[in-house]
């Protein structure tokens, strides 16, 4: 063994900030991470292995791609052994070391599968869980529904980071209620369980954790299937479609959207609209411009009709302005940034000032990206300034990913002093966000 094999592995800070390293972290490609470390530092496989408590042979297999690292415990051990800084840990899907204990517990970095069994480890006394009965279910669900409504409103303003632990902590309670209730009370419990777990899946998706987003959304679908409500089933299938598409599995995303629309006559206009826009996005990623445009046009028609619908559903956010944002994004994906600009501009005045802050900021960053791609510097910078002024407490990996794409297109004008200043502020903001953003797909 070389004399220096047991010396600590010290990774240069700049290596963690390299695009290739960040891409490997976001993909949880540990083999590529080890290859980059060896390439840029010269550390041997033995030295890396000692640092992360793995054998030299195992390091070699991982670097060759013969073994994939999927165990959360091993990934966390690697992060600790390499002394990863917090931005790198977050890109890998781990909690930062500096977070308060209440946030950095396992329920924040969801390593445990969703469970219907009483679990004191989830932070709830077993005695309380086992005392829940069918008679108490209605009042408990009513209270939790008020809490969930507040969480949904707060998340639209500030993102998922500070909410995910609290939301996931309610899962054992709802699971227990689903076990002990019967009849109409059980249907109510199952409906609420599907809503809570679907929201939990969304929180993980907006943190860029597609693996656990899928896990929670699948469980939500299980509850919905038991109830048999076609509208809820279609909505959750739509959510699964978005997760698949954003994680890069575009064909699967398209297939799930088609399944969600299989019984479209049973859906509300808003539900049809939100599923159609999901299918339009999947088609855009697949390069199917004609199909994407068709779905986009139909989605806008349905969203407009949805403004007058009296029936409630899970897509109250699906307004014509929201659909216009998505249409603009699909046009950019298809390489039609110039065509996207008037679509963005037409819906700009329709966005509310206070609610859905994340979607509003996402809309503005997408619009600024379209202007930048089209070469319209002044408009791109003006819209970027508007987006920056609205971010405040918002933390969202989807916004972070769009900021990354926007910065890449603004960089062509770095010689301009005002643009250089804007880029500096974008960099500072992205550092503050420090969320595991999914790899940008095209120019979203």
């Amino acid at each position: 063994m070389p004399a220096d094999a047991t010396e600590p592995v010290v990774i240069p800070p700049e290596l963690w900030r390299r695009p290739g390293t960040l891409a490997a972290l976001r993909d949880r490609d540990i083999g590529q991470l080890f290859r980059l470390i060896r390439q840029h530092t010269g550390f041997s496989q033995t030295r890396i292995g000692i640092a992360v408590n793995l054998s030299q042979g195992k390091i070699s297999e991982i670097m060759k791609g013969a073994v994939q690292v999927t165990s959360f415990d091993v990934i966390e051990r690697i992060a600790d052994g390499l002394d990863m800084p917090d931005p790198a840990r977050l890109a890998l899907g781990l909690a930062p070391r500096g977070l308060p204990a209440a946030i950095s517990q396992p329920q924040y970095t969801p390593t445990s599968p969703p469970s219907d069994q009483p679990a004191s480890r989830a932070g709830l006394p077993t005695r309380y869980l086992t005392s829940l009965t069918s008679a108490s279910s209605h009042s408990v669900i009513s209270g939790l529904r008020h809490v969930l409504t507040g969480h949904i409103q707060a998340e639209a303003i500030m993102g998922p980071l500070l909410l995910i632990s609290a939301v996931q902590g309610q899962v054992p309670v709802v699971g227990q209620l689903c076990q002990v209730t019967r009849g109409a009370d059980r249907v109510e419990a199952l409906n609420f369980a599907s809503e809570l777990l679907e929201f939990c899946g969304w929180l993980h998706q907006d943190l860029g954790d597609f693996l656990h987003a899928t896990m929670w959304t699948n469980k939500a679908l299980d509850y919905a299937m038991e109830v048999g409500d076609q509208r809820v089933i279609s909505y959750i299938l739509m959510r699964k479609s978005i997760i698949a598409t954003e994680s890069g599995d575009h064909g699967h995303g398209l297939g799930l959207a088609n399944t969600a629309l299989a019984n479209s006559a049973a859906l509300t206009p808003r539900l049809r609209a939100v599923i159609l826009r999901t299918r339009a996005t999947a088609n855009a990623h697949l390069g199917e411009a004609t199909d994407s445009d068709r779905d986009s046009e139909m989605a806008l028609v349905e969203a407009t009709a949805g403004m007058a619908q009296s029936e409630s559903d899970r897509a109250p956010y699906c307004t014509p302005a929201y659909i216009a944002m998505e249409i603009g994004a699909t046009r950019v994906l298809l390489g039609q940034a110039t065509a996207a600009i008037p679509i963005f501009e037409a819906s700009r005045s329709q966005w509310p000032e206070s609610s859905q802050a994340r979607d509003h900021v996402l809309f503005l960053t997408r619009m600024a990206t379209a202007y930048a791609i089209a070469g319209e510097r002044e408009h791109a910078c003006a819209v970027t300034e508007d987006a920056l002024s609205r971010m405040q407490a918002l933390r969202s990996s989807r916004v972070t990913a769009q900021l990354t794409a926007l910065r890449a297109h603004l960089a062509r004008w770095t010689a301009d002093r005002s643009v250089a200043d804007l880029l500096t502020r974008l960099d500072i903001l992205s550092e503050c966000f420090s969320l595991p953003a999914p790899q940008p797909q095209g120019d979203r």
Side-chain angles (χ1 to χ4, degrees):
M1 180 182 295
D4 66 346
T6 58
E7 293 183 11
V9 168
V10 179
I11 310 296
E14 59 271 16
L15 179 57
W16 297 117
R17 296 192 290 267
R18 295 177 66 91
T21 305
L22 290 173
L25 292 169
R26 289 166 186 151
D27 293 340
R28 288 194 171 180
D29 188 344
I30 304 301
Q32 175 64 3
L33 175 64
F34 285 165
R35 289 191 292 272
L36 288 169
I37 290 173
R38 187 165 190 189
Q39 175 186 343
H40 292 285
T41 67
F43 294 143
S44 67
Q45 293 179 354
T46 298
R47 193 166 172 186
I48 294 172
I50 291 173
V52 301
N53 197 24
L54 292 172
S55 69
Q56 180 273 327
K58 183 64 69 175
I59 296 295
S60 176
E61 290 179 338
I62 293 170
M63 291 178 70
K64 291 176 181 177
V67 171
Q68 299 295 321
V69 180
T70 58
S71 167
F72 183 86
D73 290 339
V74 175
I75 290 173
E76 194 167 50
R77 189 167 77 231
I78 290 170
D80 292 341
L82 297 176
D83 194 26
M84 278 188 197
D86 283 348
R89 290 177 65 89
L90 284 163
L92 191 56
L94 302 177
R97 289 168 298 187
L99 279 180
I103 296 178
S104 59
Q105 290 300 312
Q107 59 260 34
Y108 166 72
T109 54
T111 61
S112 303
S115 172
D116 295 339
Q117 301 300 321
S120 57
R121 67 179 180 275
L124 290 165
T126 301
R127 183 179 297 177
Y128 172 76
L129 288 172
T130 55
S131 71
L132 293 173
T133 65
S134 182
S136 63
S137 65
H138 183 76
S139 58
V140 172
I141 290 174
S142 179
L144 290 179
R145 192 174 292 281
H146 284 296
V147 173
L148 179 59
T149 298
H151 283 153
I152 292 172
Q153 292 171 345
E155 193 275 334
I157 296 171
M158 64 185 189
L161 188 62
L162 298 180
L163 299 173
I164 194 166
S165 182
V167 173
Q168 193 166 316
Q170 296 173 15
V171 172
V173 179
V174 178
Q176 178 70 0
L177 289 175
C178 289
Q179 286 194 20
V180 300
T181 54
R182 298 293 182 270
D185 288 339
R186 178 170 173 76
V187 172
E188 181 186 21
L190 290 169
N191 272 320
F192 181 72
S194 73
E195 186 175 359
L196 177 69
L197 270 70
E198 181 268 313
F199 182 60
C200 195
W202 160 249
L203 294 176
H204 285 88
Q205 179 188 343
D206 203 33
L207 281 171
D209 184 351
F210 298 125
L211 175 65
H212 291 97
T214 300
M215 180 185 74
W216 289 106
T217 309
N218 283 341
K219 186 62 177 177
L221 183 59
D222 288 343
Y223 283 123
M225 291 290 288
E226 188 171 346
V227 176
D229 187 323
Q230 183 59 52
R231 292 179 178 180
V232 176
I233 291 170
S234 289
Y235 183 79
I236 296 176
L237 283 170
M238 178 276 299
R239 292 284 306 114
K240 284 172 59 65
S241 172
I242 294 175
I243 295 168
T245 298
E246 288 194 359
S247 65
D249 195 351
H250 308 139
H252 186 45
L254 178 61
L256 287 168
N258 285 332
T259 303
L261 281 170
N263 194 5
S264 63
L267 309 179
T268 64
R270 282 197 304 245
L271 287 174
R272 285 193 291 269
V274 78
I275 299 170
L276 283 164
R277 68 91 185 176
T278 302
R279 192 167 73 178
T281 302
N283 273 318
H285 278 291
L286 292 167
E288 301 291 345
T290 301
D291 290 343
S292 181
D293 289 346
R294 177 205 63 210
D295 289 339
S296 293
E297 291 173 8
M298 292 169 60
L300 189 56
V301 170
E302 294 286 2
T304 302
M307 297 293 287
Q309 80 176 53
S310 57
E311 298 174 274
S312 62
D313 55 32
R314 293 197 182 179
Y317 57 86
C318 189
T319 63
Y322 176 82
I323 292 298
M325 172 183 72
E326 297 295 331
I327 293 174
T330 59
R331 293 289 168 82
V332 174
L333 279 173
L334 290 166
Q336 303 168 8
T338 301
I341 290 172
I343 297 172
F344 284 129
E345 285 290 0
S347 66
R348 189 174 185 181
S349 63
Q350 301 176 35
W351 280 92
E353 286 298 315
S354 56
S355 64
Q356 298 298 327
R358 179 196 46 253
D359 284 346
H360 195 176
V361 170
L362 188 60
F363 165 78
L364 290 170
T365 52
R366 285 173 169 175
M367 182 179 182
T369 301
Y371 270 124
I373 294 172
E376 299 191 33
R377 181 185 61 185
E378 291 185 6
H379 283 102
C381 291
V383 178
T384 302
E385 292 281 6
D386 192 5
L388 290 177
S389 70
R390 297 173 185 273
M391 290 185 186
Q392 299 176 4
L394 178 64
R395 297 295 182 270
S396 164
S397 72
R398 299 174 82 223
V399 173
T400 304
Q402 190 60 51
L403 283 173
T404 300
L406 172 58
R407 193 201 186 287
H409 291 292
L410 288 173
R412 74 175 82 173
W413 298 303
T414 50
D416 184 295
R417 186 176 226 172
S418 62
V419 176
D421 173 69
L422 182 59
L423 291 174
T424 298
R425 285 184 285 137
L426 276 175
D427 289 340
I428 294 172
L429 185 64
S430 295
E431 282 267 336
C432 293
F433 269 31
S434 294
L435 287 180
Q439 193 71 8
Q441 306 274 342
D443 293 306
R444 281 187 302 172

